[in-house]
Amino acid sequence: MRLYSTLQRKLVELPPPPVEIGIYVCGPTVYQRIHVGNARPYVIFLWLRRWLTGRGYAATLASNITDVNDKIYAAAPGHSSELAEQATRWYIEDTDRLGLGRPDAEPKATETMDDIIRLIAELVASGHAYEAGGDVYFRVASFGDYGQLSGQKPDQMTEQEPNPLKQDARDFALWKATKEGEDTSWDSPWGKGRPGWHIECSAMAAKLLGPAFEIHGGGLDLVFPHHENELAQSRAAGQEFAHIWMHNGLLRLTGEKMSKSLGNVQTLERVLDEWGRETLLLFFMTAHWRSPIDFSPATMEAAREQAWTFRNAFLHPPERQPARGWEALEAALDEDFSTTEALAVMHEWRAAGQLEQLRRALTLFGLETLAESERAPAELEEMARRRQAARATSDFAEADRLRDEIAAAGWEVRDVSDDPGYQLVKKD
RNA sequence: GGCGCGGUGGCCGAGUGGCUAGGCAGAGGCCUGCAAAGCCUCGUACAGCAGUUCGAUUCUGCUCCGCGCCUCCA
């Protein structure tokens, strides 16, 4: 299997199974409900873990929850930990609704503090970091490969807010001394404080996956500075760290009038309420994981239609010549995990009526519910029967009236040749 | 300004040096009391300009346009 890696800027071959594949994905900073965009890496990497597991790998997925951070302090002055706890519950609740299960580990920064402090101390001891006024900074000049991941040239970076404690404008904080108004702090060799933004990921990844692991994932917007800094810290500490760096494309919001303010993002909660999990998952499948994807009513509507055609295949199986076998899906996903090609293969199976194969593929993507049909309430069954009776006596006015009534209840009646002569299908 | 990605038929979105992506929407037909679902048929696209080549949408260069990142960001 091959995956595109930002670090090597090319497709990188995974070692053949069975081997352990450690995957670390940057999860959210918890201070509000996550938005649809945050759900993309969550979905992609849970799918990937499923696929790798099915391919015979021992895949372990770790995805962190950053629960100490400037943004959390800013969002809830004086009670940041309560907000972090609340937002963590929201995150679990919202992502649970995707129905894909959970990562193998979801470490919290606040529960990894010993490892974080130990890692910083190591970097200080080896001269890759220095203490200044209770803060600790990473010495970028001490790490020759800095900039390798993002392609950013260190000498071209400019500092936004000059920090006199830094020896070099490019240096970044590993540890920050507690400031006025911050309601949480931890003891460290450098006094009370809390970790900087990047260090927690280095510490958690090493703790859970070891000093060398296969895949590190996250949104494209994390390449710099977050991942560049993670890589620098961990490599400077003598770890190989991640081999392959996967960065998913970002969601773009279009087709909706922007409310001018920054608050135009849609929460995952709202999207799930409005469109349902099946449509959202299918929507994510319609773009390659590295491509940007437009989130709009039109693109979501198209995804919903695709869900509908898959569902219909199980209600009314077509009989056609057999299409390609399972290996077609393997070929699609083994080459840079192309869900778009996988989708094309699945449509092929749908049209060919290869339903068991299709069901297996849908299950992989958490869409097995499309293969299940819901039983209609008894009163609707009764109405459908009365409609059949009306049709039998050519009372089409009554038959159409009943059909409208059933439709109003959110169901569709279809005339079929099989036994009861009708079929009730729930509409979205 | 620096780094990087991309421009494919009405829309979304793959892919390939010469041979079918796929989905949605649309047109016609079959089926149906009418529908729905399903089936059949239909679109000859690859930003522009040069170049390499027997042949380029696919390789190279340039131009135009769009997007992401450049210490808040999945």
Side-chain angles (χ1 to χ4, degrees), chain A residues 24-28 62-66 91 105-109 200-201 204:
Chain A
Y24 184 88
V25 180
C26 283
S63 183
N64 66 290
I65 293 173
T66 296
Y91 169 66
E106 295 183 271
K108 294 179 183 175
E200 90 265 18
C201 285
M204 287 188 266

mmCIF file of all heavy atoms in Angstrom, chain A residues 24-28 62-66 91 105-109 200-201 204:
data_model
loop_
_atom_site.group_PDB
_atom_site.id
_atom_site.type_symbol
_atom_site.label_atom_id
_atom_site.label_comp_id
_atom_site.label_asym_id
_atom_site.label_seq_id
_atom_site.Cartn_x
_atom_site.Cartn_y
_atom_site.Cartn_z
ATOM 1 N N TYR A 24 -0.843 8.599 14.372
ATOM 2 C CA TYR A 24 -1.149 9.679 15.310
ATOM 3 C C TYR A 24 -1.815 10.807 14.531
ATOM 4 O O TYR A 24 -1.276 11.283 13.527
ATOM 5 C CB TYR A 24 0.128 10.208 15.979
ATOM 6 C CG TYR A 24 -0.148 11.263 17.016
ATOM 7 C CD1 TYR A 24 -0.404 10.911 18.338
ATOM 8 C CD2 TYR A 24 -0.180 12.613 16.683
ATOM 9 C CE1 TYR A 24 -0.679 11.875 19.303
ATOM 10 C CE2 TYR A 24 -0.465 13.581 17.634
ATOM 11 C CZ TYR A 24 -0.715 13.205 18.945
ATOM 12 O OH TYR A 24 -0.992 14.165 19.879
ATOM 13 N N VAL A 25 -2.990 11.211 14.975
ATOM 14 C CA VAL A 25 -3.708 12.291 14.287
ATOM 15 C C VAL A 25 -3.981 13.422 15.260
ATOM 16 O O VAL A 25 -4.425 13.192 16.382
ATOM 17 C CB VAL A 25 -5.061 11.786 13.739
ATOM 18 C CG1 VAL A 25 -5.798 12.918 13.038
ATOM 19 C CG2 VAL A 25 -4.845 10.646 12.772
ATOM 20 N N CYS A 26 -3.714 14.633 14.825
ATOM 21 C CA CYS A 26 -3.975 15.772 15.685
ATOM 22 C C CYS A 26 -5.475 15.994 15.826
ATOM 23 O O CYS A 26 -6.180 16.219 14.838
ATOM 24 C CB CYS A 26 -3.321 17.030 15.117
ATOM 25 S SG CYS A 26 -1.549 17.026 15.426
ATOM 26 N N GLY A 27 -5.928 15.892 17.036
ATOM 27 C CA GLY A 27 -7.343 16.100 17.329
ATOM 28 C C GLY A 27 -7.580 17.561 17.678
ATOM 29 O O GLY A 27 -6.712 18.407 17.484
ATOM 30 N N PRO A 28 -8.745 17.844 18.211
ATOM 31 C CA PRO A 28 -9.127 19.240 18.426
ATOM 32 C C PRO A 28 -8.585 19.841 19.719
ATOM 33 O O PRO A 28 -8.241 19.120 20.653
ATOM 34 C CB PRO A 28 -10.648 19.149 18.522
ATOM 35 C CG PRO A 28 -10.873 17.822 19.167
ATOM 36 C CD PRO A 28 -9.806 16.914 18.618
ATOM 37 N N ALA A 62 -4.078 6.808 17.418
ATOM 38 C CA ALA A 62 -4.126 7.686 18.588
ATOM 39 C C ALA A 62 -4.480 9.086 18.116
ATOM 40 O O ALA A 62 -3.927 9.583 17.143
ATOM 41 C CB ALA A 62 -2.774 7.702 19.291
ATOM 42 N N SER A 63 -5.428 9.694 18.780
ATOM 43 C CA SER A 63 -5.835 11.047 18.413
ATOM 44 C C SER A 63 -6.013 11.860 19.688
ATOM 45 O O SER A 63 -6.816 11.515 20.551
ATOM 46 C CB SER A 63 -7.140 10.981 17.620
ATOM 47 O OG SER A 63 -7.509 12.269 17.205
ATOM 48 N N ASN A 64 -5.248 12.923 19.783
ATOM 49 C CA ASN A 64 -5.212 13.650 21.047
ATOM 50 C C ASN A 64 -6.364 14.623 21.241
ATOM 51 O O ASN A 64 -7.057 15.006 20.301
ATOM 52 C CB ASN A 64 -3.908 14.444 21.141
ATOM 53 C CG ASN A 64 -3.881 15.526 20.092
ATOM 54 O OD1 ASN A 64 -3.768 15.256 18.910
ATOM 55 N ND2 ASN A 64 -4.018 16.775 20.522
ATOM 56 N N ILE A 65 -6.536 14.998 22.487
ATOM 57 C CA ILE A 65 -7.464 16.066 22.834
ATOM 58 C C ILE A 65 -6.629 17.104 23.570
ATOM 59 O O ILE A 65 -6.083 16.833 24.632
ATOM 60 C CB ILE A 65 -8.593 15.528 23.727
ATOM 61 C CG1 ILE A 65 -9.461 14.549 22.924
ATOM 62 C CG2 ILE A 65 -9.427 16.678 24.288
ATOM 63 C CD1 ILE A 65 -10.497 13.827 23.749
ATOM 64 N N THR A 66 -6.500 18.266 22.948
ATOM 65 C CA THR A 66 -5.697 19.315 23.561
ATOM 66 C C THR A 66 -6.576 20.113 24.507
ATOM 67 O O THR A 66 -7.461 20.856 24.070
ATOM 68 C CB THR A 66 -5.087 20.224 22.477
ATOM 69 O OG1 THR A 66 -4.187 19.438 21.696
ATOM 70 C CG2 THR A 66 -4.323 21.386 23.105
ATOM 71 N N TYR A 91 -17.285 17.023 22.002
ATOM 72 C CA TYR A 91 -16.489 16.391 20.942
ATOM 73 C C TYR A 91 -16.796 14.894 20.845
ATOM 74 O O TYR A 91 -17.048 14.375 19.755
ATOM 75 C CB TYR A 91 -15.003 16.627 21.228
ATOM 76 C CG TYR A 91 -14.056 15.817 20.378
ATOM 77 C CD1 TYR A 91 -13.960 16.028 19.000
ATOM 78 C CD2 TYR A 91 -13.252 14.830 20.944
ATOM 79 C CE1 TYR A 91 -13.088 15.285 18.222
ATOM 80 C CE2 TYR A 91 -12.377 14.084 20.173
ATOM 81 C CZ TYR A 91 -12.298 14.313 18.821
ATOM 82 O OH TYR A 91 -11.435 13.573 18.053
ATOM 83 N N ALA A 105 -6.787 5.272 21.158
ATOM 84 C CA ALA A 105 -6.390 6.075 22.307
ATOM 85 C C ALA A 105 -6.718 7.533 22.036
ATOM 86 O O ALA A 105 -6.559 8.007 20.910
ATOM 87 C CB ALA A 105 -4.897 5.919 22.567
ATOM 88 N N GLU A 106 -7.203 8.220 23.053
ATOM 89 C CA GLU A 106 -7.508 9.639 22.928
ATOM 90 C C GLU A 106 -6.909 10.381 24.118
ATOM 91 O O GLU A 106 -7.612 10.792 25.038
ATOM 92 C CB GLU A 106 -9.019 9.842 22.831
ATOM 93 C CG GLU A 106 -9.593 9.233 21.568
ATOM 94 C CD GLU A 106 -11.088 9.471 21.409
ATOM 95 O OE1 GLU A 106 -11.865 8.646 21.911
ATOM 96 O OE2 GLU A 106 -11.473 10.465 20.790
ATOM 97 N N PRO A 107 -5.599 10.527 24.094
ATOM 98 C CA PRO A 107 -4.897 11.112 25.226
ATOM 99 C C PRO A 107 -5.200 12.601 25.376
ATOM 100 O O PRO A 107 -5.416 13.302 24.393
ATOM 101 C CB PRO A 107 -3.424 10.904 24.870
ATOM 102 C CG PRO A 107 -3.416 10.906 23.377
ATOM 103 C CD PRO A 107 -4.691 10.209 22.974
ATOM 104 N N LYS A 108 -5.218 13.026 26.617
ATOM 105 C CA LYS A 108 -5.397 14.450 26.894
ATOM 106 C C LYS A 108 -4.053 15.043 27.309
ATOM 107 O O LYS A 108 -3.284 14.403 28.024
ATOM 108 C CB LYS A 108 -6.396 14.640 28.031
ATOM 109 C CG LYS A 108 -7.794 14.192 27.685
ATOM 110 C CD LYS A 108 -8.720 14.379 28.876
ATOM 111 C CE LYS A 108 -10.122 13.858 28.535
ATOM 112 N NZ LYS A 108 -11.008 13.909 29.711
ATOM 113 N N ALA A 109 -3.835 16.256 26.905
ATOM 114 C CA ALA A 109 -2.583 16.935 27.247
ATOM 115 C C ALA A 109 -2.399 16.989 28.764
ATOM 116 O O ALA A 109 -1.315 16.737 29.290
ATOM 117 C CB ALA A 109 -2.574 18.337 26.654
ATOM 118 N N GLU A 200 2.918 18.897 23.318
ATOM 119 C CA GLU A 200 2.073 17.821 23.830
ATOM 120 C C GLU A 200 1.913 16.702 22.805
ATOM 121 O O GLU A 200 1.846 15.523 23.153
ATOM 122 C CB GLU A 200 0.713 18.351 24.300
ATOM 123 C CG GLU A 200 -0.394 18.390 23.266
ATOM 124 C CD GLU A 200 -0.514 19.740 22.583
ATOM 125 O OE1 GLU A 200 0.459 20.536 22.655
ATOM 126 O OE2 GLU A 200 -1.562 19.994 21.976
ATOM 127 N N CYS A 201 1.906 17.062 21.528
ATOM 128 C CA CYS A 201 1.749 16.033 20.503
ATOM 129 C C CYS A 201 2.995 15.158 20.416
ATOM 130 O O CYS A 201 2.904 13.940 20.268
ATOM 131 C CB CYS A 201 1.452 16.661 19.145
ATOM 132 S SG CYS A 201 -0.257 17.269 19.025
ATOM 133 N N MET A 204 2.825 12.858 23.535
ATOM 134 C CA MET A 204 1.768 11.851 23.491
ATOM 135 C C MET A 204 2.033 10.798 22.415
ATOM 136 O O MET A 204 1.794 9.614 22.631
ATOM 137 C CB MET A 204 0.421 12.521 23.247
ATOM 138 C CG MET A 204 -0.081 13.280 24.465
ATOM 139 S SD MET A 204 -1.765 13.889 24.270
ATOM 140 C CE MET A 204 -1.488 15.535 23.672
#
